Amino acid sequence: MKAVLMTAPGNPEVLQLQDVANPSVSVGETELVVRLRAAGVNPIDTKLRKRGTFYPDQMPAILGCDGAGIVEAVGAGVKKFRVGDEVYFCNGGLGAHQGNYAEYTTVDERFAAHKPTSVSFAEAAAAPLVLITAWEALYERGRLEPGEKVLIHAGAGGVGHVAIQLAKLKGANVCTTVSSQEKADFVKQLGADYPILYKQTDFAQAALDWTGGEGVDLAFDTVGGETFHKTFPAVRIYGDIVTILEPDANTVWKIARNRNLRIGLELMLTPMLQGILEAQQHHADILAECARYIDAGKLKIHVSQELPLAEAAKAHQLIESGSTTGKIVLVI
């Protein structure tokens, strides 16, 4: 099969389209062989490419956590799926189990979900990592309740644009930071109540004004760095802030402490990295629930660009430019 190999840590040029062995020869008892039709590209892919994967002794590597495709073969113990089923999942791509920048892969049936029927393979492949991340951050770490007010950073981005929709599905009110009027219009279409143009406005003060000086119930940080601690004053006393980035060593915690904020850390890769079976199955359950929302027209995945598999390096360059709206997908 054709696959994009990461030959060494480095610039996007280390991603090379090559011929490799098809994985279907070693299908496990509960595994599916999937003919991939699309692979989502995420910031974690670019980080692993630059610094090296979590398993540096297992090189070269095939990156890409997100995949969507058609079941081509099943292990003897598979119960949920049959040959010909369309599936989507977040699995592999961290340096051990192969990722989805390839024509074929294997995935345990417990970690896959039926693809939403109403969207393309590209849209489905764009979805898993960002959906699971936003779902866990808002619903599980942040304990979001109907009627609460939420601040979501980078609302036009991959995680942000689905987080807005999940927050609205829960019955929350949403303000969100964006960099341009074009992106403000985009997030309004997703249901955002108040886009904050952060380049022109102090977002913390804007959030305070929006909440009558009290602060939001929950802030969701998808940016990291100084954005994390600059968000503390925007959150109400005894409120929550959840971040998907590791807090900077220079973070000033005083305001968070004085406001008794509850800090949540969200890394949806933990179950895969730690081999936590129950949590990986929970991720598949989240995808199954989101597929129902998508097919009901209540949740949309925005794909800004589709590229052929051979242009994985270009996809990484686009993500590293930092101004992507929605998601970039490799079509196979």
Side-chain angles (χ1 to χ4, degrees):
M1 68 173 182
K2 297 285 186 188
V4 173
L5 295 188
M6 171 186 160
T7 53
N11 294 325
E13 291 68 34
V14 302
L15 300 175
Q16 299 286 331
L17 187 68
Q18 297 186 20
D19 290 306
V20 299
N22 190 313
S24 62
V25 293
S26 57
V27 60
E29 179 79 6
T30 59
E31 280 190 314
L32 314 173
V33 178
V34 178
R35 177 161 62 90
L36 289 159
R37 297 290 300 276
V41 184
N42 292 291
I44 184 63
D45 304 356
T46 67
K47 292 174 184 175
L48 295 179
R49 189 213 73 235
K50 279 192 290 191
R51 74 173 190 225
T53 73
F54 291 102
Y55 307 89
D57 56 326
Q58 300 185 46
M59 291 289 289
I62 299 173
L63 298 176
C65 302
D66 282 341
I70 301 168
V71 176
E72 184 136 304
V74 298
V78 168
K79 297 182 175 67
K80 273 172 50 180
F81 301 96
R82 61 184 66 184
V83 172
D85 282 354
E86 298 179 351
V87 293
Y88 77 141
F89 48 85
C90 184
N91 187 69
L94 304 180
H97 189 287
Q98 78 150 77
N100 297 298
Y101 295 3
E103 291 180 325
Y104 292 88
T105 193
T106 59
V107 59
D108 191 296
E109 70 161 346
R110 294 169 291 184
F111 311 152
H114 288 280
K115 169 189 159 291
T117 58
S118 60
V119 299
S120 67
F121 282 102
E123 289 167 295
L129 184 145
V130 295
L131 282 177
I132 294 165
T133 297
W135 182 291
E136 289 191 334
L138 295 174
Y139 295 174
E140 297 173 12
R141 303 292 162 276
R143 304 166 180 86
L144 184 63
E145 295 291 340
E148 289 190 330
K149 292 183 170 64
V150 188
L151 166 61
I152 295 169
H153 282 300
V159 175
H161 91 285
V162 295
I164 290 169
Q165 297 174 77
L166 290 176
K168 295 303 292 184
L169 283 168
K170 184 63 89 169
N173 300 299
V174 177
C175 68
T176 183
T177 57
V178 291
S179 61
S180 67
Q181 186 57 51
E182 181 184 8
K183 290 184 177 181
D185 295 339
F186 171 65
V187 298
K188 280 183 181 176
Q189 292 171 5
L190 300 174
D193 299 286
Y194 177 34
I196 301 169
L197 292 161
Y198 70 85
K199 291 183 177 179
Q200 304 169 17
T201 308
D202 180 324
F203 71 79
Q205 187 59 53
L208 286 169
D209 293 344
W210 183 61
T211 56
E214 184 178 354
V216 297
D217 300 286
L218 168 63
F220 182 26
D221 168 35
T222 68
V223 177
E226 65 178 16
T227 298
F228 176 60
H229 67 80
K230 284 185 174 180
T231 304
F232 295 161
V235 183
R236 68 168 174 83
I237 293 170
Y238 299 113
D240 283 88
I241 179 167
V242 180
T243 183
I244 61 173
L245 286 306
E246 184 177 339
D248 191 273
N250 298 318
T251 299
V252 180
W253 295 97
K254 187 175 182 63
I255 293 173
R257 181 169 181 264
N258 288 345
R259 295 178 80 80
N260 276 278
L261 302 188
R262 185 164 48 187
I263 311 294
L265 304 174
E266 166 61 29
L267 178 65
M268 68 76 57
L269 299 177
T270 297
M272 209 186 330
L273 288 168
Q274 302 288 341
I276 306 170
L277 181 64
E278 187 176 339
Q280 288 175 278
Q281 290 175 285
H282 175 56
H283 285 177
D285 292 340
I286 291 171
L287 293 181
E289 185 69 19
C290 287
R292 289 188 279 273
Y293 282 134
I294 291 167
D295 285 337
K298 296 177 179 178
L299 182 58
K300 294 180 173 62
I301 309 300
H302 179 71
V303 175
S304 62
Q305 202 157 350
E306 298 179 21
L307 297 169
L309 183 62
E311 293 186 22
K314 181 180 177 183
H316 278 225
Q317 289 166 351
L318 288 168
I319 283 192
E320 288 176 320
S321 74
S323 58
T324 307
T325 299
K327 294 295 300 291
I328 296 172
V329 176
L330 299 176
V331 176
I332 304 161

